[in-house]
Amino acid sequence: SLDLAQAYAMAVIPRVVDRIKDSLDCASREERSAGDSMALQVLFISAYHLPGEVLVDFAVDMLTVLVSIFDSSISPSDKLHLFAAKVLACILSKDDLILGTNDVLVEVQRAMVNALGNESTDPEVRSLCSAVMQTMLAKTTQ
């Protein structure tokens, strides 16, 4: 039901987003990577399974924290970039979310362009960033 989905989202998504924000300041790469990988998996599952009408209330925070992963000192070849790009692609595939997130989409686009322009970006991340850019272009020109 929609009420159950909303209750889940309210209980889980803000905590996961806050956990990722906090961990980006963490000194230990291993600790950060393991915890963030799990947190990004939770965001991906949530974005995939929850309807856009539920995610719309959390989309800006989710997109902002995903962009912060690309903006952080984490190496562009790190798997966290791959996980973040997958979550971005999943969120942006929801039609109802694009219009409500226009302000943060500029930051998403900037992060994707930077990742694409960085020679050390993992090829799989580069491919996903390109797909995210294409999705954003297609959705905003509809």
Side-chain angles (χ1 to χ4, degrees):
S1 93
L2 198 55
D3 290 340
L4 186 57
Q6 186 69 34
Y8 165 86
M10 288 175 58
V12 172
I13 293 175
R15 286 182 176 90
V16 173
V17 167
D18 287 344
R19 197 258 174 247
I20 294 171
K21 284 179 190 174
D22 292 345
S23 73
L24 288 173
D25 297 330
C26 182
S28 167
R29 181 192 178 310
E30 292 78 21
E31 179 185 340
R32 181 184 64 225
S33 183
D36 283 353
S37 296
M38 289 184 283
L40 287 169
Q41 183 66 27
V42 170
L43 284 185
F44 178 81
I45 291 168
S46 299
Y48 184 81
H49 288 287
L50 292 173
E53 61 192 88
V54 171
L55 284 178
V56 73
D57 294 335
F58 307 96
V60 170
D61 290 339
M62 291 171 72
L63 292 171
T64 301
V65 80
L66 294 167
V67 167
S68 69
I69 290 171
F70 283 93
D71 289 346
S72 72
S73 62
I74 298 170
S75 167
S77 62
D78 194 292
K79 289 297 181 190
L80 288 180
H81 283 234
L82 176 62
F83 298 145
K86 286 181 178 183
V87 179
L88 275 169
C90 188
I91 293 170
L92 294 174
S93 71
K94 307 268 184 173
D95 288 336
D96 351 18
L97 299 184
I98 295 296
L99 295 176
T101 59
N102 279 336
D103 294 341
V104 76
L105 289 181
V106 173
E107 293 302 311
V108 171
Q109 183 177 20
R110 181 194 49 73
M112 297 300 96
V113 168
N114 289 344
L116 287 168
N118 190 327
E119 292 179 13
S120 61
T121 299
D122 180 84
E124 194 173 0
V125 174
R126 188 181 303 276
S127 175
L128 275 168
C129 290
S130 178
V132 166
M133 291 290 292
Q134 290 173 1
T135 299
M136 287 174 56
L137 181 63
K139 299 268 184 176
T140 57
T141 58
Q142 287 180 348

